[in-house]
């Protein structure tokens, strides 16, 4: 089929209409604006009450999130930063889940003005991995110690759902040395329910679609043409994923396109709508990428809404407090300095050793004309792990929840009760041990080994501790991929 014919068949309006409330989407802009206005200058006591509610791991209501966003008191912000860290430690422990982004294809029919891959960008060198090339990329990643991927695709008939499914199969079946990819997440364009079922059947991890901006008018302006111009098809992309049984979904907003407070409110309303429609199960992760420069893409540097480092830390904190039990992803778009700081207000996942050029891992090169934007953090996986260890964080490559079927509602049930420790911390220790044995440099091993004993000592019961110690012995003797 021609590109135009393909485009005409992608969007299924009836799959959107069923989720509308009396023809309206859940993103009520007037409500957001009024809520932000009605909660200006919140007093100290109110902010502290809201912080206390978050610490109970209860999701905030829009007026509470609005009050936090409007806080002007530096002392209270310090309290919020502390609370963000505390909540994260309570729910997820001192562990950071680590993954690599893998860009598979940059052919794209869309015209997002901020993106280096937009169809009009003649400075972008187009490339789509063949299956043998993909296998080489995966080998290069596994050889560095990676176990988890986010696979990224432009929107184009050549990278349709069948191609995505093929690439997932390759990701799961490629072995290298002691290792393999154990969880492959996907960031791709919105799909129809029947296509999402295909991805469910090949074992997709999390399906991510970022709304970019929740503000309708801005959305229309920045996505002037192509499939992505359809705001509603995108807004309900993750509802369709849940409907298709892909029950770990990742929402996100691209900060820098519109007012940051509005976008945080949008993320919250999106969470609430998913929770309401899917039996209390909201997003598995929330992402908050900041717009970065991209080749031949002037908008990315001149937008009036660019968010500075200080505001970035605040917005991440408010997201943490608003949805205390959800995973939060801090990407290598940010510099190492910003990441080392912001990770402490409640982030649970980072990418590391990232290369976002297509074919970049085997070439081990930085080619800006094959990248969507330019990364801020170019530390290797080993360096990032060492830095995390120095800050007291164990790096987890754990994928057990997903492989034991603890996804969606099951995972959320455990997270909301603050009970992840019993399973996730043991699994973090086991996967970290594998990394230290198989991939770490001497320097990292020396800096990070202490964490194993520290976290063993912190496990909730002697019984769990004994089990983990036995499993560590088996890993020392050469077994791999043990988990609870
Ligand atoms: N093409 C699919 C889409 O747009 O949903 C998926 C892949 S797209 C390459 C992944 C994400 O990258 C987008 O959702 C957007 O938030 C982000 N992105 C695009 N341009 C960016 C830029 N200049 N800086 C930072 N992030 C950017
Ligand atoms: Fe294409 Fe996604 Fe880039 Fe938009 S953000 S141009 S859809 S790759």
């Amino acid at each position: 089929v021609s590109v135009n014919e393909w485009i005409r068949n992608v969007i299924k309006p009836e799959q959107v209409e069923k989720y509308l409330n009396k023809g309206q989407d859940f993103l009520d802009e007037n409500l957001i604006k009024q809520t932000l206005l009605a909660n200006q200058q919140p007093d100290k006591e109110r902010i502290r009450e809201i912080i206390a509610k978050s610490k109970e791991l209860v999701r905030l209501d829009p007026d509470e999130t609005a009050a936090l966003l409007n806080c002007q008191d530096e002392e209270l912000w310090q309290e919020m930063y502390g609370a963000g860290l505390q909540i994260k430690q309570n729910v997820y422990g001192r562990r950071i889940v680590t993954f690599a982004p893998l860009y598979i294809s940059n052919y794209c029919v869309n015209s997002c003005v901020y993106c280096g891959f937009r169809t009009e960008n003649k400075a972008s060198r187009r490339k789509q991995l063949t299956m043998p090339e993909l296998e080489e990329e995966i080998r290069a990643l596994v050889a560095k110690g990676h176990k988890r991927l986010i696979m990224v695709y432009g929107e184009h008939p050549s990278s349709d759902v069948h191609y995505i499914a093929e690439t997932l199969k390759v990701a799961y079946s490629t072995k290298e040395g002691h290792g393999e990819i154990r969880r492959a997440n996907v960031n791709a364009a919105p799909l129809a329910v029947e296509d999402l079922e295909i991805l469910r059947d090949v074992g997709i991890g999390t399906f991510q679609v970022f709304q970019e901006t929740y503000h309708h008018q801005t959305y229309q302006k920045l996505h002037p043409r192509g499939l992505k111009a359809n705001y509603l098809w995108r807004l309900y992309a993750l509802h369709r994923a849940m409907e298709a049984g892909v029950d770990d979904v990742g929402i996100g907003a691209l900060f820098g396109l519109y007012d940051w407070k509005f976008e945080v409110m949008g993320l919250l309303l999106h969470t609430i709508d998913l929770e309401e429609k899917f039996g209390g199960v909201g997003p598995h992760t929330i992402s908050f990428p900041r717009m970065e420069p991209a080749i031949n893409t002037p908008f990315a540097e001149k937008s009036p809404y660019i968010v500075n480092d200080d505001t970035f830390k605040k917005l991440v904190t408010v997201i943490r407090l608003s949805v205390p039990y959800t995973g939060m992803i801090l990407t290598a778009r940010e510099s190492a300095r910003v990441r080392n700081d912001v990770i402490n207000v409640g982030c649970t996942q980072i990418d590391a050793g990232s290369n976002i050029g297509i074919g970049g891992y085997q070439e081990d090169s930085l080619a800006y004309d094959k990248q969507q934007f330019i990364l801020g953090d170019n530390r290797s996986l080993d360096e990032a792990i060492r830095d995390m260890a120095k800050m007291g964080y164990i790096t987890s490559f754990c994928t057990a929840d997903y492989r034991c079927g603890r996804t969606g509602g099951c995972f959320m049930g455990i997270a909301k009760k603050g009970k992840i420790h019993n399973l996730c911390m043991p699994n973090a220790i086991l996967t970290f041990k594998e990394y230290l044995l198989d991939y770490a440099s001497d320097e990292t091993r020396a800096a990070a080994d202490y964490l194993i004993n520290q976290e063993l000592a912190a496990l909730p019961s002697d019984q769990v501790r004994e089990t983990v110690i036995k499993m560590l012995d088996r890993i020392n003797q050469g077994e791999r991929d043990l988990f609870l």
Side-chain angles (χ1 to χ4, degrees):
V1 294
S2 72
V3 174
N4 283 339
E5 206 180 320
W6 178 79
I7 288 178
R8 269 197 298 279
N9 288 317
V10 171
I11 294 177
K12 310 270 186 314
E14 69 284 2
Q15 294 191 8
V16 170
E17 271 148 33
K18 65 179 287 192
Y19 288 113
L20 297 175
N21 298 324
K22 297 191 185 124
Q24 294 295 308
D25 64 64
F26 61 80
L27 215 286
D28 185 340
E29 285 174 15
N30 285 333
L31 182 82
I32 293 186
K33 291 195 170 152
Q34 280 160 17
T35 311
L36 281 167
L37 266 177
N39 288 281
Q40 277 178 328
Q41 299 175 330
D43 60 39
K44 271 192 175 91
E45 255 158 66
R46 172 123 196 273
I47 295 285
R48 290 193 172 124
E49 273 167 31
I50 299 171
I51 297 177
K53 179 173 173 185
S54 301
K55 283 186 180 169
E56 296 294 317
L57 310 186
V58 181
R59 184 196 23 80
L60 299 184
D61 294 325
D63 62 322
E64 294 163 331
T65 293
L68 297 186
L69 288 167
N70 284 329
C71 176
Q72 300 280 354
D73 181 331
E74 243 339 280
E75 189 192 332
L76 288 173
W77 276 110
Q78 295 302 327
E79 289 178 30
M80 285 193 251
Y81 298 150
L85 179 61
Q86 198 184 326
I87 290 166
K88 192 241 144 183
Q89 312 282 47
N90 285 346
V91 179
Y92 288 90
R94 280 182 299 267
R95 101 200 138 90
I96 299 289
V97 169
T98 301
F99 64 93
L102 177 53
Y103 277 66
I104 312 255
S105 173
N106 65 3
Y107 286 92
C108 194
V109 298
N110 292 316
S111 302
C112 317
V113 301
Y114 45 82
C115 179
F117 292 168
R118 70 192 182 286
T119 197
E120 300 78 7
N121 191 359
K122 297 278 181 295
S124 166
R125 215 167 1 130
R126 304 291 162 167
K127 170 90 189 135
Q128 171 160 3
L129 294 179
T130 62
M131 297 306 150
E133 286 169 339
L134 172 61
E135 218 181 293
E136 285 312 307
E137 282 290 277
I138 290 178
R139 281 188 206 290
L141 278 164
V142 172
K144 292 195 170 84
H146 282 290
K147 302 279 187 284
R148 307 172 59 108
L149 294 181
I150 176 89
M151 298 168 68
V152 186
Y153 312 76
E155 184 165 32
H156 195 269
S158 65
S159 55
D160 66 1
V161 67
H162 303 291
Y163 174 82
I164 297 177
E166 258 338 278
T167 58
L168 280 169
K169 286 187 202 158
V170 171
Y172 284 127
S173 60
T174 304
K175 270 233 153 233
E176 172 70 27
H178 281 299
E180 66 278 305
I181 294 302
R182 299 175 187 164
R183 176 171 176 134
N185 301 330
V186 166
N187 184 316
L191 295 169
V193 174
E194 52 276 22
D195 290 347
L196 289 155
E197 285 168 350
I198 296 176
L199 298 188
R200 177 201 64 200
D201 290 346
V202 293
I204 185 178
T206 305
F207 184 56
Q208 284 187 345
V209 176
F210 303 157
Q211 189 59 25
E212 322 296 12
T213 173
Y214 285 95
H215 188 252
H216 294 81
Q217 214 185 329
T218 305
Y219 187 95
Q220 241 46 75
K221 208 164 77 195
L222 304 184
H223 308 98
R225 287 175 295 282
L227 287 164
K228 198 157 161 180
N230 190 320
Y231 177 97
L232 291 180
W233 180 242
R234 198 166 181 89
L235 192 65
Y236 290 98
L238 300 173
H239 291 63
R240 294 194 296 280
M242 299 283 272
E243 182 182 329
V246 176
D247 52 3
D248 280 351
V249 299
I251 65 172
L254 181 57
F255 283 88
L257 304 183
Y258 188 61
D259 176 45
W260 63 277
K261 294 184 184 177
F262 186 95
E263 304 295 15
V264 173
M265 296 296 286
L267 289 167
L268 179 69
L269 294 188
H270 199 164
T271 300
I272 293 173
D273 203 65
L274 284 168
E275 288 183 349
E276 279 176 5
K277 299 216 162 82
F278 296 95
V281 183
H284 185 68
T285 54
I286 301 182
S287 297
F288 29 85
R290 262 199 295 186
M291 189 166 50
E292 299 297 327
I295 190 166
N296 191 30
T297 305
F299 177 83
E301 280 154 282
K302 68 163 208 246
S303 163
Y305 294 107
I306 284 175
V307 167
N308 66 28
D309 292 353
D310 187 43
T311 305
F312 183 63
K313 184 171 179 177
K314 290 185 167 146
L315 75 87
V316 177
T317 306
V318 177
I319 296 172
R320 171 72 299 151
L321 298 184
S322 299
V323 193
Y325 39 78
T326 292
M328 288 178 59
I329 303 178
L330 178 62
T331 71
R333 290 175 178 83
E334 304 300 333
S335 67
R337 183 185 56 78
V338 168
R339 291 224 288 181
N340 287 346
D341 183 30
V342 170
I343 206 155
N344 288 320
V345 295
C347 300
T348 62
Q349 294 195 23
I350 58 168
D351 56 329
S354 302
N355 187 316
I356 58 170
I358 299 187
Y361 290 106
Q362 4 155 8
E363 290 168 15
D364 214 357
S365 65
L366 281 181
Y368 290 138
D369 57 352
K370 277 195 274 177
Q371 291 186 190
Q372 187 195 15
F373 51 84
I374 296 164
L375 285 184
D377 184 351
N378 290 306
R379 282 176 296 179
S380 68
L381 175 62
D382 194 64
E383 286 166 326
I385 289 181
R386 189 159 66 233
D387 281 358
M388 287 302 124
K390 287 178 185 159
M391 290 163 66
Y393 291 116
I394 196 164
T395 293
S396 176
F397 292 97
C398 169
T399 53
D401 283 334
Y402 151 76
R403 289 191 293 158
C404 298
R406 291 190 294 261
T407 58
C410 175
F411 177 84
M412 276 302 147
I414 302 175
K416 284 180 184 170
K417 292 191 198 107
K419 290 266 166 58
I420 290 185
H421 299 289
N422 304 341
L423 296 165
C424 294
M425 214 53 206
N427 290 329
I429 296 172
L430 297 169
T431 56
F432 195 53
K433 182 73 186 174
E434 286 189 2
Y435 179 83
L436 293 181
L437 284 175
D438 295 340
Y439 307 102
S441 65
D442 292 343
E443 204 183 340
T444 298
R445 209 171 291 135
D449 225 11
Y450 83 98
L451 281 168
I452 303 246
N453 288 334
Q454 178 183 299
E455 294 306 329
L456 272 176
L459 285 176
S461 75
D462 287 343
Q463 198 195 347
V464 178
R465 195 166 13 261
E466 274 162 34
T467 311
V468 177
I469 290 173
K470 281 193 196 129
M471 290 168 108
L472 284 172
D473 271 348
R474 286 165 59 197
I475 290 176
N476 269 325
Q477 280 157 30
E479 275 188 71
R480 292 290 175 271
D481 202 13
L482 304 180
F483 53 85
L484 293 181

